[in-house]
Amino acid sequence: MDPSYPPSATARRAAAIARHLAGLSPRDAAAVAAALEPSACLSYAPPESSEPAPAFSPLELRSLLDRHHLRERDWAFRAMEESPLFCQRRSGGKVFVSPDYNEGKEGQREATMRRVGYLARRGVFRGWLTEPGPDAELRKLALLECLGMYDHSLAIKIGVHFFLWGSAIKFLGTKRHHDKWLSDTENYVIKGCFSMTELGHGSNVRGIETVATYDIKTREFVINTPCESAQKYWIGGAANHATHTIVFAQLHINGRNEGVHAFVAQIRDEHENVMPNIQIADCGHKIGLNGVDNGRIWFNNIRVPRENLLNLVADVLPDGQYVSTIDDPDQRFAAFLSPLTLGRVNIAVNAVYISKEICASFH
């Protein structure tokens, strides 16, 4: 906490912690409350506002740690510093930004979504899905790293939208899907999530129970949650904001199970109302990342057009014939998991930028 923090901020932090301990007995709660009273030791000044200049060049250290797209990173940092949405504070002639974790669950979620909207208007996400080439990919990772340094909830919220929903559209879909959804995804006209995990199966994707049955008469897929263990669980973005989702389901055609496939389904309308025959529940408060709205989803025989099957790997023709470019079912299944690859890369990227922050704090 820097010296510009008013004393009331410390009191609010203490009160927030006390609320988490509300289940204690009255006598224990009173003791905890007394221990959490604001104390002089909580007055803290960031080292960078008071320490002497380092014996080496911080710019050289930064160049070593960041390596690429330094100008773009600085632009992203300035964009955050310039907006009150990022909780600016000034001390020692410098601008500090950090989230207010004293806000409740809903407050943190809405703050995260407002920040996403601001960053979209500033053009931070321009080209993230539509610009080809390795330089565009490295720029995207550099900017995501900057946002994660501010707040990991912000990086996760954006990551689900671009690296899971967006990557599924881009890498599992074909031109008809790209034309319909990629641009609107990049511009946040729609907000995507990724419905793979189920309560009864976790990361065992082969064992998911959600079913998509092809109706030859209407040329639609009927997506259904047949039991409680088949509910889509811990889906980032589902509880409050997502308008669309990628649904992973067992594809049934004429009584035959063709295995796990990916479908696009709309779960909210343009007014943020949940679509008919869809039930969404909130996963609730977490010990961290409360800026991400994790939710549960049930599908009650919703219908999606045949064209909503992401068909790069396999397709269903209007007459119900199943066709695939990959004959081996195991290889076909592996191809459907490809959108997760970039997400796994991001886990390593997250570890790197957190390590950078630690390194920089000890300069």
Side-chain angles (χ1 to χ4, degrees), residues 251-268:
L251 171 59
H252 288 198
I253 306 175
N254 295 324
R256 177 184 172 90
N257 185 358
E258 299 291 354
V260 176
H261 289 65
F263 306 82
V264 177
Q266 185 171 354
I267 60 175
R268 287 185 176 87

Side-chain angles (χ1 to χ4, degrees), residues 173-312:
T174 52
K175 186 177 186 300
R176 71 188 187 207
H177 306 107
H178 300 165
D179 291 346
K180 186 171 183 178
W181 285 301
L182 275 190
S183 179
D184 281 351
T185 296
E186 190 170 280
N187 295 317
Y188 263 94
V189 176
I190 58 177
K191 306 174 186 72
C193 64
F194 192 77
S195 296
M196 175 181 280
T197 303
E198 294 182 0
L199 179 62
H201 303 281
S203 297
N204 175 23
V205 182
R206 279 187 187 273
I208 64 174
E209 296 175 287
T210 300
V211 175
T213 304
Y214 184 62
D215 185 336
I216 296 177
K217 293 180 180 178
T218 63
R219 298 183 179 180
E220 295 173 312
F221 293 104
V222 182
I223 300 177
N224 188 53
T225 304
C227 55
E228 279 302 293
S229 59
Q231 63 180 272
K232 297 300 184 180
Y233 195 76
W234 212 259
I235 308 304
N240 289 60
H241 300 125
T243 60
H244 293 68
T245 191
I246 303 294
V247 185
F248 282 81
Q250 305 284 354
L251 171 59
H252 288 198
I253 306 175
N254 295 324
R256 177 184 172 90
N257 185 358
E258 299 291 354
V260 176
H261 289 65
F263 306 82
V264 177
Q266 185 171 354
I267 60 175
R268 287 185 176 87
D269 63 20
E270 63 274 16
H271 304 296
E272 300 186 350
N273 299 309
V274 177
M275 299 292 285
N277 299 324
I278 292 175
Q279 180 185 350
I280 297 177
D282 196 330
C283 287
H285 187 275
K286 299 166 288 185
I287 61 172
L289 297 179
N290 279 299
V292 181
D293 50 316
N294 294 89
R296 300 182 284 162
I297 308 176
W298 294 259
F299 303 97
N300 183 16
N301 293 314
I302 70 165
R303 290 179 172 266
V304 301
R306 182 185 68 88
E307 293 78 12
N308 281 26
L309 169 66
L310 297 180
N311 66 335
L312 180 67

